[in-house]
Amino acid sequence: MKVLVVGSGGREHALCWAIARSPLCDALFCAPGNAGIAAIATCLDVAADDVAGIVAAAQEQAIDFAVIGPEGPLVAGIVDRLEEAGVPTFGPRQSAAVIEGSKGFMKDLCGRFGIPSAAYARFDEPEAAKAYIHRLGAPIVVKADGLAAGKGVVVCRTENEAHAAIDHILTEGAFGAAGSEVVIEEFLTGEEASFFALVHGTQVLPLASAQDHKPAFDGDEGPNTGGMGAYSPAPVLTPALAETVMDTIIRPTVAAMAEIGRPYTGVLYAGLMITPEGPKVLEFNARFGDPECQPLLVRLKSDLLEALIACRDGRLDRIKLEWHDDAALTVVMATRGYPGFYPKGSVIRGLERAEATPSVAVFHAGTALQNGHLVADAGRVLGVTARGPTVADAQALAYQAVDLIDWPEGFCRRDIGWRAIGR
Ligand code: AMP
Ligand code: GLY
């Protein structure tokens, strides 16, 4: 088979890494990919959100199966366009990707079908939003309705902060059309975790849990990022709690989507808060998480491509996935300045030594080749991923590899996995 992966981050490198090992894969393409992906796939110079360009490239290369990494093209309907063009594709159609594309839609779905989630209301008018904030009181959470690259959620400690968030999103239009409406939510407390499942209509195949680290700096300090590291599984999601998540969140959501005529196909990512009353959904994503995908896939023993094809075809009942008992952990290395302003083009050395560390894989999240040098080409640049018997073992191996990388312009958190290790 000729397989195309769409995207350019660490998630897509991990997807390519797993798919390249499949006996079903004869040729692997990635659009647009990055310098690390180029070592295992043919990179096509088409941006992930250029839907027409991706469809044309898939037809030109006679692609047999496409896998979509990021949310942008999913919400824009890339799966519908590729399938219409005769390219079987892994991912939800536009009608189902709305579960990530509109937080208001997702909250209404939870409300209507009794799926545990924070109390909320939707607003497109600042004064009414502020009146609701006053009624609920702080802390409170303000979210832009649409896709905002992870920046559309503001956790507000005071009513004033919440008013400022409303002004920023609704009045000043900071996120454009994605912020023409907001969701205001009750603040939930507990430990966060995420849970992934493959879904086709009402078929569900649970994958595994993971935990991300969104703040930029050690001790969960600093601004929120796309994710500075992750590990899988997340011990906070005990087998019993994972069952609860399947029974009260994943299966009811999948059934609800089918019932309202938006059947879901692809990987469903549930962002959860484990509250004293049990797990509640913070968000649904219509894709693998990044970096969560990296530790998840290094634990998978089975053929990923076979599972993704079975998911697309509605044969999930015939798939039995095998996993390494080990934990896996990813440390993200980012360019200094991220998530704010950062320069591109700094040279990264020593990657071969890092990659030679046993049980370590270095996934590229944002790299390019310039005059024969590997350079940083984004905020998040590398995902140093290790597998070990415990999260602590995986963490030690990952940092051993990190310390072999010579990149003065980069930084990483030194405490990825602290919650699991502290247990
Ligand atoms: P989201 O993109 O909706 O997952 O939100 C990003 C982050 O904001 C989450 O990972 C949480 O840390 C935080 N967050 C979102 N919603 C809530 C909530 N209702 N209560 C507390 N924290 C929240
Ligand atoms: N790491 C968070 C996400 O992929 O949404």
Side-chain angles (χ1 to χ4, degrees):
M1 293 182 82
K2 294 174 95 177
V3 181
L4 170 67
V5 172
V6 174
S8 63
R11 165 181 50 212
E12 287 76 20
H13 192 181
L15 287 166
C16 285
W17 173 85
I19 290 170
R21 294 184 306 172
S22 168
L24 299 171
C25 180
D26 298 310
L28 181 59
F29 296 82
C30 187
N34 61 41
I37 293 173
I40 52 172
T42 303
C43 291
L44 305 174
D45 189 16
V46 186
D49 50 15
D50 175 3
V51 173
I54 297 281
V55 173
Q59 286 179 312
E60 192 181 326
Q61 302 292 342
I63 296 298
D64 298 301
F65 192 70
V67 178
I68 312 302
E71 62 277 17
L74 290 170
V75 170
I78 196 170
V79 175
D80 306 71
R81 301 291 91 75
L82 281 165
E83 290 276 356
E84 281 159 17
V87 183
T89 303
F90 174 81
R93 289 182 178 260
Q94 188 168 31
S95 60
V98 67
I99 201 163
E100 174 166 4
S102 167
K103 295 197 185 274
F105 169 87
M106 174 270 178
K107 295 298 294 183
D108 287 351
L109 188 82
C110 291
R112 178 171 159 201
F113 289 90
I115 297 155
S117 189
Y120 77 106
R122 303 173 67 167
F123 297 95
D124 55 12
E125 201 277 308
E127 289 318 309
K130 289 178 182 177
Y132 182 77
I133 288 165
H134 189 61
R135 196 142 64 73
L136 239 63
I140 194 163
V141 184
V142 177
K143 303 184 175 184
D145 181 73
L147 295 184
K151 297 189 182 108
V153 174
V154 192
V155 177
C156 309
R157 280 162 305 174
T158 64
E159 283 185 34
N160 275 343
E161 276 179 35
H163 288 186
I166 294 295
D167 291 339
H168 189 59
I169 299 171
L170 280 184
T171 314
E172 292 154 24
F175 301 109
S180 58
E181 188 178 322
V182 294
V183 168
I184 301 179
E185 275 182 29
E186 163 202 12
F187 176 79
L188 298 178
T189 52
E191 186 171 339
E192 283 183 54
S194 41
F195 192 81
F196 299 85
L198 294 180
V199 176
H200 182 107
T202 51
Q203 297 174 7
V204 184
L205 181 68
L207 293 176
S209 62
Q211 193 174 71
D212 190 11
H213 298 62
K214 284 188 175 137
F217 307 128
D218 286 18
D220 286 336
E221 300 282 340
N224 259 348
T225 68
M228 293 301 292
Y231 59 89
S232 172
V236 62
L237 268 191
T238 58
L241 270 180
E243 263 315 302
T244 306
V245 169
M246 283 297 290
D247 292 343
T248 63
I249 294 173
I250 304 287
R251 285 200 192 90
T253 301
V254 165
M257 291 296 279
E259 186 180 326
I260 64 172
R262 297 174 181 272
Y264 192 92
T265 302
V267 59
L268 185 64
Y269 166 146
L272 307 167
M273 186 73 88
I274 314 304
T275 75
E277 300 105 71
K280 297 189 180 183
V281 201
L282 294 176
E283 61 167 345
F284 282 116
N285 292 324
R287 51 175 174 84
F288 285 105
D290 195 5
E292 295 94 314
C293 186
Q294 301 172 50
L296 197 71
L297 292 187
V298 300
R299 290 184 53 229
L300 181 65
K301 273 190 198 164
S302 305
D303 183 340
L304 175 71
L305 181 58
E306 186 187 11
L308 300 184
I309 293 170
C311 181
R312 142 62 173 73
D313 291 347
R315 291 183 287 102
L316 280 175
D317 48 337
R318 305 218 208 123
I319 296 289
K320 173 126 185 24
L321 293 179
E322 288 188 58
W323 300 87
H324 291 282
D325 290 330
D326 286 356
L329 180 142
T330 297
V331 176
V332 170
M333 298 187 75
T335 309
R336 283 184 198 284
Y338 174 77
F341 175 80
Y342 56 84
K344 289 186 181 181
S346 52
V347 176
I348 303 163
R349 294 189 173 85
L351 225 53
E352 314 70 37
R353 279 183 298 155
E355 281 169 326
T357 312
S359 308
V360 166
V362 180
F363 296 117
H364 293 224
T367 58
L369 276 178
Q370 257 173 32
N371 310 320
H373 291 296
L374 185 72
V375 300
D377 198 40
R380 293 191 294 173
V381 175
L382 300 169
V384 181
T385 303
R387 191 153 68 72
T390 65
V391 174
D393 295 318
Q395 187 203 54
L397 281 168
Y399 283 117
Q400 194 181 316
V402 162
D403 290 337
L404 293 169
I405 295 173
D406 174 12
W407 178 33
E409 295 84 357
F411 79 100
C412 66
R413 280 181 61 159
R414 301 296 311 192
D415 64 348
I416 300 303
W418 67 271
R419 279 196 187 79
I421 292 167
R423 258 163 202 274

